[in-house]
Amino acid sequence: MTEWLTMLTHGEAVEWRRALISLLVAFGLTQGIAGVYMLTFRGLSYSRTVVQSMALGSIITCTLMLAVGNNIAAGIGIAGGVTAIRFRTTMRDPRDVVFVFASLAIGMASGAQAYGAAIAGAAMFAGATLMLHVTGYGSRRQPDGLLRFVAPAGQAGAELAGAIAGVLREHCGSFSLVTLREAAQGTVMEHAYQISVRHPELRARLVTSLQALPGVEDVSLMLQEPTLDL
């Protein structure tokens, strides 16, 4: 017992310091990664557990790498133990998976005592994420929403088509007919347009202008915000 305590307190002091430094580096770097994630996150499906998993996951992977070291047998044993665990938590956003994987990679590099790779990798990942966020890389112009309304069928509808098109051209930068079908035993036609308004303030005016046309009823505009994830 005394020999065991002596080994822990004196004989392995260098190993203790090395392990502690590796764990602190892993935890500190992934704190920065988690901060970048919180700063650049957009949407409504924010999860605090995902952020905490980044920091905690790096500690786990760092510990595993420290335990394996250069021991092949220990590595095989740990790999077998890990494969016995089944993680059934799903992530809907691929971006969350990338951040978690980046945190695990930093933990591995820290555990392998490749501090240069861990620090450079974390800095590069954080810098690239911020650059893509600021520049809006990957975003594209999407329609503002789906416009639905009911208009008369037959000759009355044909005469009203010009007025409807005029209102759409006045308020929308672009519009395209998505659905046109009969309803109420063929007495009316249901219209569905995918639209992009010239300015957000024109959305309410568009609905009001269509409702003012004789025969146009049940006007609704469902907005499609690309940054929202319900």
Side-chain angles (χ1 to χ4, degrees), residues 1-8:
M1 185 67 178
T2 305
E3 294 179 357
W4 184 74
L5 291 175
T6 302
M7 181 185 67
L8 288 178

Side-chain angles (χ1 to χ4, degrees), residues 171-210:
H171 297 83
C172 301
S174 63
F175 60 90
S176 59
L177 182 63
V178 178
T179 305
L180 181 63
R181 63 180 182 179
E182 293 183 351
Q185 298 180 350
T187 58
V188 297
M189 300 291 292
E190 291 185 354
H191 297 249
Y193 285 87
Q194 203 171 40
I195 66 169
S196 295
V197 295
R198 301 183 187 278
H199 192 275
E201 295 180 354
L202 296 178
R203 295 171 180 173
R205 298 181 186 177
L206 170 62
V207 174
T208 303
S209 299
L210 287 174

Side-chain angles (χ1 to χ4, degrees), residues 2-228:
T2 305
E3 294 179 357
W4 184 74
L5 291 175
T6 302
M7 181 185 67
L8 288 178
T9 55
H10 299 288
E12 302 294 334
V14 175
E15 295 298 329
W16 278 93
R17 288 197 296 268
R18 187 176 301 170
L20 182 59
I21 291 174
S22 298
L23 291 169
L24 290 176
V25 169
F27 183 71
L29 292 177
T30 48
Q31 285 288 298
I33 295 296
V36 172
Y37 174 85
M38 292 186 290
L39 180 64
T40 59
F41 181 84
R42 293 293 179 269
L44 296 178
S45 59
Y46 175 80
S47 176
R48 181 185 177 189
T49 57
V50 173
V51 178
Q52 293 181 351
S53 298
M54 296 177 191
L56 298 178
S58 67
I59 295 177
I60 295 173
T61 54
C62 182
T63 303
L64 291 175
M65 293 298 296
L66 290 171
V68 171
N70 296 324
N71 193 327
I72 298 178
I76 295 175
I78 291 177
V82 172
T83 56
I85 303 174
R86 296 290 183 268
F87 297 99
R88 301 189 180 277
T89 301
T90 58
M91 295 184 182
R92 294 185 299 172
D93 192 347
R95 187 173 182 271
D96 294 349
V97 179
V98 171
F99 270 84
V100 172
F101 185 74
S103 300
L104 297 179
I106 291 172
M108 291 180 182
S110 300
Q113 299 170 16
Y115 302 128
I119 296 173
M124 183 64 189
F125 183 84
T129 302
L130 292 173
M131 183 194 70
L132 296 179
H133 174 72
V134 172
T135 59
Y137 182 82
S139 62
R140 54 177 296 185
R141 175 65 176 172
Q142 295 187 4
D144 292 320
L146 188 66
L147 176 67
R148 294 181 179 272
F149 58 88
V150 174
Q155 184 63 30
E159 295 175 355
L160 193 59
I164 294 174
V167 172
L168 293 176
R169 282 193 293 267
E170 180 182 355
H171 297 83
C172 301
S174 63
F175 60 90
S176 59
L177 182 63
V178 178
T179 305
L180 181 63
R181 63 180 182 179
E182 293 183 351
Q185 298 180 350
T187 58
V188 297
M189 300 291 292
E190 291 185 354
H191 297 249
Y193 285 87
Q194 203 171 40
I195 66 169
S196 295
V197 295
R198 301 183 187 278
H199 192 275
E201 295 180 354
L202 296 178
R203 295 171 180 173
R205 298 181 186 177
L206 170 62
V207 174
T208 303
S209 299
L210 287 174
Q211 290 175 335
L213 296 178
V216 177
E217 301 176 349
D218 299 333
V219 181
S220 64
L221 176 59
M222 294 187 296
L223 299 179
Q224 175 182 322
E225 298 292 346
T227 59
L228 298 184

